[in-house]
Amino acid sequence: MENLTPENFFLVFQVAIKVLVIWSPAFVGAGLYMYFTRPTKHNKGKKIMRAGEVYDWLDQGPAVLLAPCRIADPIPTNKTKEFLRDPEAWPHEPGWTIKLLESGDIIDVHADTLDADI
């Protein structure tokens, strides 16, 4: 450190600033990712399911999650006309579109039928 003259200090300072400028998008991006994917009050303790993860589906073996979907609940036949007039009133449950790894089938399933313990 005995050779740290004002000129050398300025060069070291310039290099440090360049490193910060080059890496700042990575730091900011990682910070934003951690902020927006943090557990919130409504999902604490629940596993957040993400596309690309592998889950076990019933007795059909492993399946890859492709995308979230909405699965329409069954309705009584006497209410068919009511729901055909207003399709948005049809009750739905959250689910996932999955691809079964053993058979290659792509299907929509209820989220609560997927098991993470493979």
Side-chain angles (χ1 to χ4, degrees):
M1 284 296 184
E2 65 259 1
N3 295 334
L4 191 59
T5 63
E7 295 83 22
N8 290 346
F9 178 77
F10 185 68
L11 289 174
V12 170
F13 183 72
Q14 281 183 324
V15 169
I17 294 297
K18 286 180 183 178
V19 168
L20 284 175
V21 168
I22 291 171
W23 284 97
S24 65
F27 295 140
V28 171
L32 289 174
Y33 174 80
M34 291 186 330
Y35 176 78
F36 286 112
T37 59
R38 74 188 191 285
T40 57
K41 288 181 183 175
H42 67 275
N43 65 10
K44 276 192 177 171
K46 256 190 345 186
K47 170 100 170 84
I48 298 173
M49 300 169 82
R50 300 179 194 271
E53 292 179 338
V54 177
Y55 282 76
D56 215 12
W57 182 61
L58 300 176
D59 63 346
Q60 300 297 312
V64 175
L65 301 181
L66 299 178
C69 68
R70 293 174 48 193
I71 299 178
D73 288 340
I75 58 168
T77 54
N78 59 353
K79 292 191 174 189
T80 305
K81 289 183 183 177
E82 174 188 336
F83 290 115
L84 287 177
R85 272 186 258 129
D86 185 15
E88 290 299 316
W90 196 304
H92 288 82
E93 290 185 11
W96 281 89
T97 302
I98 64 169
K99 180 175 182 178
L100 295 172
L101 296 178
E102 292 177 2
S103 64
D105 295 339
I106 297 177
I107 53 176
D108 293 339
V109 300
H110 288 88
D112 57 353
T113 61
L114 294 163
D115 185 18
D117 299 327
I118 295 182

